Every structure is written in C-alpha cells, then in structure tokens.
Amino acid sequence: MIYFATIILGVAIFYVFNAIEKQSVMLNVMGNGHELIMVIGKVLSVVSVFVAVVFGFLIVYASTFLLKKRKKEFGIYMTLGMSKKKISTIITIETIVIGFISLFAGLLIGVCASQAMSVLIANIFEADIDTDDAVLGNYCKEADFVFNLAGVNRPQNQDEFMAGNFGFASTLLNTLKKYNNSCPVMLSS
C-alpha cells in the first residue's frame, strides 16, 4: 500500500511541476513579461528533473524491497511447481497493473493540485514604477509575500538608480507600512 501511495504521490507532484508553466493563468502572467515568472519556470524545470530522478530511485528501491519481502512467497510457488518464467510473468503483470492504476490516480490528483496552483498564481499581483498609487495600495493591502526585482538593471548613473530602484523600493515599503502589512519582502536586483 505504501508503494502504491508513493507512486501516486510521485506522479501527482511530477505532473504539477510540469503542468504549471503550461496553464493559461501562468501564460497570462508570463505574457506580461515578468522576469520573476521566467525564473520560477526555470527553477520548476530543474526541480522537475530532480523529482524525476528521486522518483526513479524510489521506484527501484521500493520494487527491490517488495521483491525481497515476497521471497518466501515465490519459494512456495516454486515448491508447488510453478516455473520461474510464470512467477516472472505474474510479477510483471502486477507491476504493470499497479503502475497504470497509480498513473491514473496520480494524474487525477495532479490535475486537481495543478488547478489549485493555478488559483495561487492567479493571485500574483503586478506592479512597477508606473503603477497607480491606488492600485499599488490595494496590492500592498492584500500581499502575503512581495518580490521586488530591480526596476532598472545596470543603471547608468546614480539618478537612474535612485528613481528606478531605490525610489520604487522605498515607495513599495512605505505603502506596505502604511497598511500595516508586515509580509516578507524579497529585494533583488
């Protein structure tokens, strides 16, 4: 049962990581040219590969473990006259059936979980230096976490830095403070 549940969970997680970039909500956010969303997509791709490797090792380990646990059962089958080929066929059929059932259940759970992720992504707010103060204020009231990417990459002079990076970051932090929102803020350049 644990083997079955593990495969279902692995398939669901793998589906969520691979489906998140393709969802319409993510495509809408990506269409707005957000560098953050592109970075998140790349991170999800790397994590997806990691999850696939770990999942592969997990399946091999669990299969080996289950075969060792069933060693006596196979010995009884052989004592009763069953050939190694027949036992191998039974193990293969069991593995295929468990695999397909796990795949179906994992995809079903993965689809539901990816829709939940879609709802979370839909709540990502977009603001920049040109955002109206009222809109920024509404976003700052509702924000649970703030990513602030540098407004001007590689500014040419101090004035450009002060207006595009420091200026907007100060406005953002002051607006959060105004609405007593103490959510975490990640400042990045």
Side-chain angles (χ1 to χ4, degrees):
M1 189 64 175
I2 292 174
Y3 174 70
F4 185 63
T6 302
I7 293 176
I8 290 172
L9 184 63
V11 169
I13 290 171
F14 195 71
Y15 180 86
V16 168
F17 278 116
N18 286 305
I20 195 86
E21 288 183 78
K22 309 296 185 243
Q23 293 180 350
S24 60
V25 169
M26 183 64 108
L27 293 174
N28 290 339
V29 173
M30 288 173 71
N32 292 332
H34 279 53
E35 292 176 18
L36 175 63
I37 299 303
M38 296 305 290
V39 170
I40 290 172
K42 289 177 184 177
V43 168
L44 287 176
S45 296
V46 170
V47 171
S48 179
V49 170
F50 177 74
V51 167
V53 169
V54 170
F55 187 54
F57 280 117
L58 184 65
I59 288 174
V60 169
Y61 173 77
S63 297
T64 305
F65 177 76
L66 288 175
L67 287 176
K68 285 181 182 177
K69 281 208 115 1
R70 295 180 68 189
K71 205 172 193 177
K72 289 181 184 176
E73 177 186 345
F74 300 142
I76 292 171
Y77 289 154
M78 290 178 73
T79 303
L80 293 173
M82 193 177 282
S83 69
K84 287 184 180 181
K85 184 177 180 182
K86 186 105 173 171
I87 293 171
S88 176
T89 303
I90 290 171
I91 293 169
T92 303
I93 291 171
E94 284 179 1
T95 303
I96 289 171
V97 168
I98 288 173
F100 276 119
I101 293 171
S102 299
L103 178 66
F104 178 73
L107 286 175
L108 185 65
I109 292 169
V111 167
C112 294
S114 70
Q115 293 304 314
M117 288 294 288
S118 178
V119 169
L120 290 174
I121 290 170
N123 289 322
I124 292 177
F125 301 127
E126 168 191 0
D128 60 22
I129 199 164
D130 298 325
T131 301
D132 182 56
D133 288 341
V135 173
L136 183 63
N138 287 332
Y139 288 171
C140 287
K141 279 189 231 178
E142 301 294 325
D144 294 321
F145 193 92
V146 174
F147 287 101
N148 180 37
L149 299 177
V152 178
N153 288 324
R154 304 184 199 279
Q156 300 299 316
N157 55 50
Q158 189 173 356
D159 292 336
E160 190 177 21
F161 172 80
M162 293 303 286
N165 296 341
F166 179 78
F168 181 70
S170 296
T171 301
L172 176 65
L173 294 173
N174 288 333
T175 306
L176 286 167
K177 188 176 180 180
K178 174 182 171 184
Y179 292 105
N180 295 321
N181 189 341
S182 59
C183 69
V185 176
M186 181 178 144
L187 300 173
S188 178
S189 63

